[in-house]
Amino acid sequence: MAAMETQSAPLTLESLPTDPLLLILSFLDYRDLINCCYVSRRLSQLSSHDPLWRRHCKKYWLISEEEKTQKNQCWKSLFIDTYSDVGRYIDHYAAIKKAWDDLKKYLEPRCPRMVLSLKEGAREEDLDAVEAQIGCKLPDDYRCSYRIHNGQKLVVPGLLGSMALSNHYRSEDLLDVDTAAGGFQQRQGLKYCLPLTFCIHTGLSQYIAVEAAEGRNKNEVFYQCPDQMARNPAAIDMFIIGATFTDWFTSYVNNVVSGGFPIIRDQIFRYVHDPECVATTGDITVSVSTSFLPELSSVHPPHYFFTYRIRIEMSKDALPEKACQLDSRYWRITNAKGDVEEVQGPGVVGEFPIISPGRVYEYTSCTTFSTTSGYMEGYYTFHFLYFKDKIFNVAIPRFHMACPTFRVSIARLVS
């Protein structure tokens, strides 16, 4: 018995094999790995094992193998160096950096001038100076994005999308932080709001609320909507676009890089296409995408302005004798109350397009609702070019339109 007791040495950290310990450490977060350095000499050595830091560099900073090779540093030193620069943004950096990387990769072959308009990242001291200037703290995810790119030069087209309809044109630039600070609002109705974007054609901006005030939640992004019937200039309603800067920016980028927003003539057009909003009649397919225009809408009085883009395409496999010309259109327009309006007329936007095999015709038009949502459907009437007395209808799929969530101004509620 005594011999057995002398043979069973106490189990200590120093006596445990290395591989199982490294496996355990591989499940720890970077904070816990750093804390391990202060437990014992052995754990300090093991927690500095460089492959352990590879996962954290990729997870938090999106550092690739190529970047590591270029910088000729070990993973741990890369993590520490990056943390010393942008560590305060560790909860936001990966999502924001990925969005920027995805956006630039997608736009470079399609809109190279837009990518060239992006400015280099701002410095921490620049952002601190802006906070001192406006007397408010900037959201950390906003600061994080501006460390990567400090907005863009004021150019057309703007990074945050365009919209063209008849004689109305909008293109929104992402403001650099100094220009945004110059537009920081202290007046009633937009108190503590910082502009994110600006359109030089319409004066339209999207704002972020850097403080909770006047019924706004801190950090939410919105379009302002002045109450056209109020005498009080502080009566400004809001169309809410995002709950936070990250929510706003990443959702926009996802729409762009997924092809949800079409790129036309080097511009991002903010039309949303529902994949199910397609109708095929014979050899002709009609699809629809829509967009809400806040700058032409109001909550009070209720007037919600929408534009839609129609694509009419004939299959390339259609027989040549199937070529035809559009004669007229019929619309059935229904608002959220169930009220129906019927519209019938010649052509579309003053044109009578000819469709032939493989040919595509696109046009934009608009409608308004007195309710926050509604839908349209209908048909086009065509005649064959080779059989002019033979006419037929082509279905237009039902497409729905709904304005973003809005919040009524407190100034109007209390008046």
Side-chain angles (χ1 to χ4, degrees), residues 7-59:
Q7 289 177 359
S8 58
L11 188 64
T12 65
L13 186 62
E14 302 298 326
S15 64
L16 288 173
T18 297
D19 287 347
L21 283 174
L22 287 175
L23 179 62
I24 294 170
L25 292 175
S26 71
F27 291 100
L28 299 184
D29 195 16
Y30 74 95
R31 299 177 182 86
D32 301 315
L33 274 182
I34 292 173
N35 288 334
C36 285
C37 295
Y38 303 103
V39 175
S40 71
R41 181 177 298 176
R42 178 114 195 269
L43 273 184
S44 177
Q45 292 172 340
L46 290 174
S47 62
S48 296
H49 185 59
D50 202 48
L52 292 174
W53 292 91
R54 177 178 178 272
R55 177 171 67 91
H56 301 300
C57 283
K58 289 178 176 290
K59 176 181 177 181

Side-chain angles (χ1 to χ4, degrees), residues 223-230 235-240 292-305 369-372 403-409 412-413:
Y223 281 109
Q224 62 165 321
C225 178
D227 186 336
Q228 298 178 10
M229 299 182 71
I236 296 177
D237 303 317
M238 301 178 297
F239 291 113
I240 310 299
F292 174 70
L293 271 63
E295 67 271 31
L296 300 179
S297 302
S298 69
V299 174
H300 193 61
H303 178 84
Y304 306 99
F305 194 103
F369 290 101
S370 60
T371 57
T372 56
C403 79
T405 300
F406 64 82
R407 191 171 301 128
V408 173
S409 167
R412 174 149 62 89
L413 290 175

Side-chain angles (χ1 to χ4, degrees), residues 108-210:
E108 276 170 355
R110 298 170 175 86
C111 309
R113 289 184 304 163
M114 197 178 292
V115 176
L116 290 173
S117 75
L118 296 175
K119 295 186 175 183
E120 295 293 324
R123 302 172 301 171
E124 281 294 304
E125 49 266 40
D126 298 329
L127 297 168
D128 291 341
V130 166
E131 288 186 340
Q133 176 184 339
I134 67 176
C136 293
K137 291 290 184 183
L138 298 170
D140 265 356
D141 53 353
Y142 174 95
R143 288 183 61 122
C144 177
S145 181
Y146 278 72
R147 286 299 314 276
I148 298 169
H149 282 294
N150 184 15
Q152 66 173 142
K153 302 167 188 174
L154 289 178
V155 296
V156 176
L159 184 72
L160 268 296
S162 301
M163 185 59 61
L165 179 68
S166 184
N167 60 350
H168 179 80
Y169 180 73
R170 182 223 315 159
S171 188
E172 293 182 68
D173 289 294
L174 181 65
L175 295 176
D176 64 62
V177 69
D178 288 325
T179 305
F184 180 70
Q185 299 292 317
Q186 290 281 22
R187 66 184 178 92
Q188 295 296 316
L190 284 175
K191 198 172 181 65
Y192 304 129
C193 292
L194 186 76
L196 291 175
T197 69
F198 181 71
C199 171
I200 61 175
H201 302 278
T202 64
L204 183 73
S205 287
Q206 296 181 64
Y207 286 90
I208 185 168
V210 298

Side-chain angles (χ1 to χ4, degrees), residues 272-315:
V272 178
H273 174 63
D274 180 353
E276 296 183 359
C277 191
V278 177
T280 299
T281 304
D283 297 302
I284 298 177
T285 297
V286 177
S287 58
V288 187
S289 53
T290 63
S291 185
F292 174 70
L293 271 63
E295 67 271 31
L296 300 179
S297 302
S298 69
V299 174
H300 193 61
H303 178 84
Y304 306 99
F305 194 103
F306 298 89
T307 177
Y308 51 89
R309 185 175 184 85
I310 306 282
R311 177 185 174 93
I312 307 172
E313 180 177 11
M314 179 175 282
S315 169

Side-chain angles (χ1 to χ4, degrees), residues 258-277:
S258 68
F261 290 158
I263 292 181
I264 306 168
R265 296 184 299 276
D266 298 331
Q267 299 184 66
I268 303 167
F269 277 83
R270 288 168 61 177
Y271 285 98
V272 178
H273 174 63
D274 180 353
E276 296 183 359
C277 191

